[in-house]
Amino acid sequence: QVQLVESGGGLVQPGGSLRLSCAASEIAFSISTMNWYRQAPGKQRELVAGITTGGRTNYADSVKGRFTISRDNAKNTVYLQMNILKPEDTAVYYCNAHFVVVASNHDYWGTGTQVTVSS
């Protein structure tokens, strides 16, 4: 069983910053592309950022230049540094581990952490 444990959410004013963390079990982390998704009330879950095992990153257009995803392989942890936060960034943020074994896709999810951007 792959476990993902998120932390770092909270309430922040517009323009502020937060850093989310997601710790994963060692074996899964080493072979996984790690992603952050978010889901706002009444909206579908969307991909925010992803990072491959090789360190390639991708971002949603809405967060480019403001958010940075990184991974620490020694700690089996992925981070999402969020700067210049906006009210529209308010959502539950989910950590996702994605890997392929024998041509079969595997996805595991954390339980989510709430991020609220409000004055």
Side-chain angles (χ1 to χ4, degrees):
Q1 183 75 14
V2 176
Q3 290 191 325
L4 303 174
V5 180
E6 300 131 330
S7 60
L11 172 64
V12 64
Q13 291 187 343
S17 298
L18 282 175
R19 188 176 81 155
L20 306 182
S21 300
C22 172
S25 52
E26 181 176 356
I27 292 176
F29 188 84
S30 66
I31 63 173
S32 294
T33 290
M34 299 299 297
N35 302 298
W36 285 99
Y37 285 76
R38 68 185 180 187
Q39 187 166 20
K43 294 189 176 181
Q44 288 189 332
R45 191 173 296 190
E46 63 173 351
L47 177 65
V48 176
I51 185 166
T52 68
T53 55
R56 290 198 310 272
T57 59
N58 65 283
Y59 297 93
D61 287 343
S62 59
V63 306
K64 282 181 181 176
R66 300 188 297 122
F67 290 11
T68 302
I69 189 170
S70 61
R71 63 192 293 160
D72 185 334
N73 294 328
K75 296 181 178 180
N76 302 321
T77 301
V78 62
Y79 303 98
L80 185 68
Q81 178 67 44
M82 305 184 294
N83 298 327
I84 318 176
L85 282 160
K86 304 176 181 180
E88 50 264 43
D89 294 318
T90 296
V92 178
Y93 284 69
Y94 296 91
C95 180
N96 163 261
H98 173 80
F99 58 91
V100 180
V101 175
V102 193
S104 176
N105 287 303
H106 297 264
D107 281 280
Y108 294 90
W109 296 89
T111 57
T113 185
Q114 176 70 47
V115 172
T116 302
V117 185
S118 175
S119 55

